[in-house]
Amino acid sequence: MLSPKTQRNISRIIPFGLIWFIFGLVYVFIEKGILGELNYHPSTGIPYEFEISLLFSLSFAAVGLFIGTIEILYLNNQFIYKSFGQKILYKILIYILMNFTFTVIGYSIGTALELQTTLHDPLVWDRLVIFLSNFAYLSVEIYTALTLGVSLFYFEISENIGQGILKNYFTGKYHRPTIEERIFMFLDMKSSTTIAEQLGHVKYFEMLSEYYSDLSESIIKYSGEIYQYVGDEIIVSWRLENGIRSNNCIQCYSDMKKSLKKQAEKYHKKFGLVPTFKVGFHLGEVTTGEIGVIKKDIIFTGDVLNTTARIQGLCNYYKVDLLISADLIKKLDLNSDSQIKSLGKNELRGRKESVELFTILS
């Protein structure tokens, strides 16, 4: 079974293949419309068959998947601190340069083999110059650059607002309100006000950016979904089945702790401190749907959100980093090695019924 991170990467790569496949089909049908009944290209004399051209769209999709793989696994990380526009522009230039290099090498080798000569033969380079200056080649390059731009634009938008959210907008999943049962984790940085005063606003923002980045890997690893960033607080959500599977929600919390511990030296060196956090867990029904006119958003509404916030707010009172509601504890399959401690029932503000709270001793 594929890990959540691998599944996420595959789902991020697939749109590249789909976009390139669609653009490939559009190109084929435009070409067919222009050529009509002709069975050759007038500018080059190359034979033309519509059925064979359809394979072009499949090869375009393969190129898209290849670019998507490079983008997700390597290139995107190299431009993580660039602006939205710079990312797209720089990447287009890199991919075009790669394509041009492969074209020059491939065409030169193919021509040399056809003429049964060496790559140093002037005739090979003359043919290459003619090929590269041909309008048919230039038009394909321009179309390829356009396809690149669209696929990269989609990817950057998806990364900015959240891949799952963009997919839900396209599919209209939450166009009408939907009732779901979800687990929520409210994660809040400890002593954030003091840290902000100590570091200053700019340095604090830089630390917050790295803090979020270091915690995100754990969220991906354990199938979580980032619902909102609220100042120094992260609200993470799981569909019930994803959150309780292998205790993903609790595993996520533990992995976050380990992640910050591993990065302790980096934080000490750059900021003179290591951020820590406290969390509250709860589950319940929420109504999920699109909302807004000037700015669309997909939001959750329900008592579970307020209750989780209240639970997290009691961490200081109980002097613990983790609080879990009894409702969630009952759903989890915690082994006997987990030192679960009941902290008794608490009447949370805004709720009529008291909630029993638990913590897990480390």
Side-chain angles (χ1 to χ4, degrees), residues 52-70:
I52 294 177
S53 291
L54 283 174
L55 295 175
F56 174 78
S57 59
L58 293 177
S59 66
F60 231 49
V63 171
L65 291 173
F66 175 70
I67 288 175
T69 302
I70 294 174

Side-chain angles (χ1 to χ4, degrees), residues 38-316:
L38 293 177
N39 59 4
Y40 65 93
H41 292 83
S43 61
T44 60
I46 297 174
Y48 169 78
E49 290 184 33
F50 178 68
E51 292 76 12
I52 294 177
S53 291
L54 283 174
L55 295 175
F56 174 78
S57 59
L58 293 177
S59 66
F60 231 49
V63 171
L65 291 173
F66 175 70
I67 288 175
T69 302
I70 294 174
E71 180 66 26
I72 302 304
L73 300 183
Y74 176 71
L75 198 59
N76 185 52
N77 294 330
Q78 309 307 310
F79 293 92
I80 195 167
Y81 295 112
K82 297 294 183 182
S83 68
F84 183 90
Q86 286 176 327
K87 286 181 183 179
I88 294 177
L89 178 60
Y90 293 161
K91 289 175 185 179
I92 288 176
L93 292 175
I94 289 172
Y95 286 123
I96 288 177
L97 181 60
M98 288 171 57
N99 181 56
F100 178 78
T101 303
F102 291 144
T103 300
V104 169
I105 294 172
Y107 188 87
S108 300
I109 293 174
T111 303
L113 291 173
E114 179 188 348
L115 298 175
Q116 295 184 342
T117 185
T118 66
L119 290 173
H120 302 292
D121 192 325
L123 187 57
V124 172
W125 295 101
D126 289 342
R127 284 200 179 186
L128 177 63
V129 171
I130 292 171
F131 173 76
L132 295 177
S133 59
N134 188 285
F135 183 76
Y137 166 76
L138 294 175
S139 65
V140 172
E141 285 298 296
I142 292 170
Y143 195 76
T144 300
L146 175 64
T147 310
L148 264 171
V150 172
S151 57
L152 289 172
F153 182 81
Y154 173 90
F155 174 69
E156 292 301 334
I157 290 291
S158 177
E159 292 294 287
N160 273 272
I161 71 173
Q163 181 193 10
I165 292 175
L166 188 58
K167 183 179 72 174
N168 290 333
Y169 278 132
F170 274 111
T171 60
K173 182 177 181 180
Y174 296 119
H175 187 64
R176 293 182 180 277
T178 303
I179 295 176
E180 299 177 330
E181 191 166 14
R182 283 185 170 266
I183 296 170
F184 284 91
M185 173 176 74
F186 277 53
L187 181 150
D188 186 47
M189 184 189 294
K190 291 183 180 180
S191 307
S192 57
T193 303
T194 304
I195 293 173
E197 291 175 352
Q198 178 181 334
L199 296 178
H201 294 299
V202 175
K203 200 71 174 175
Y204 174 69
F205 187 88
E206 291 175 2
M207 189 206 70
L208 202 60
S209 178
E210 297 212 18
Y211 169 76
Y212 284 156
S213 178
D214 290 335
L215 296 182
S216 295
E217 189 70 22
S218 301
I219 297 170
I220 293 168
K221 186 176 176 181
Y222 292 100
S223 304
E225 302 169 23
I226 294 177
Y227 172 45
Q228 285 180 343
Y229 294 108
V230 186
D232 53 41
E233 184 175 71
I234 309 176
I235 303 176
V236 183
S237 170
W238 287 264
R239 288 180 174 277
L240 179 59
E241 60 274 19
N242 291 337
I244 64 174
R245 185 189 302 124
S246 302
N247 300 319
N248 272 338
C249 57
I250 304 301
Q251 295 278 17
C252 178
Y253 160 79
S254 300
D255 201 64
M256 286 174 158
K257 286 281 189 181
K258 292 176 185 175
S259 178
L260 288 185
K261 191 174 181 179
K262 288 179 183 176
Q263 299 291 336
E265 186 177 344
K266 175 189 76 173
Y267 283 102
H268 269 302
K269 186 175 180 180
K270 296 181 73 172
F271 308 107
L273 54 89
V274 179
T276 55
F277 59 83
K278 53 186 185 289
V279 303
F281 280 102
H282 188 41
L283 66 82
E285 283 191 347
V286 290
T287 301
T288 313
E290 292 181 21
I291 198 168
V293 177
I294 298 174
K295 179 184 179 297
K296 288 281 186 182
D297 203 355
I298 295 175
I299 68 165
F300 300 124
T301 60
D303 176 66
V304 60
L305 289 149
N306 292 327
T307 302
T308 311
R310 301 277 187 266
I311 290 172
Q312 186 269 115
L314 289 171
C315 284
N316 287 342

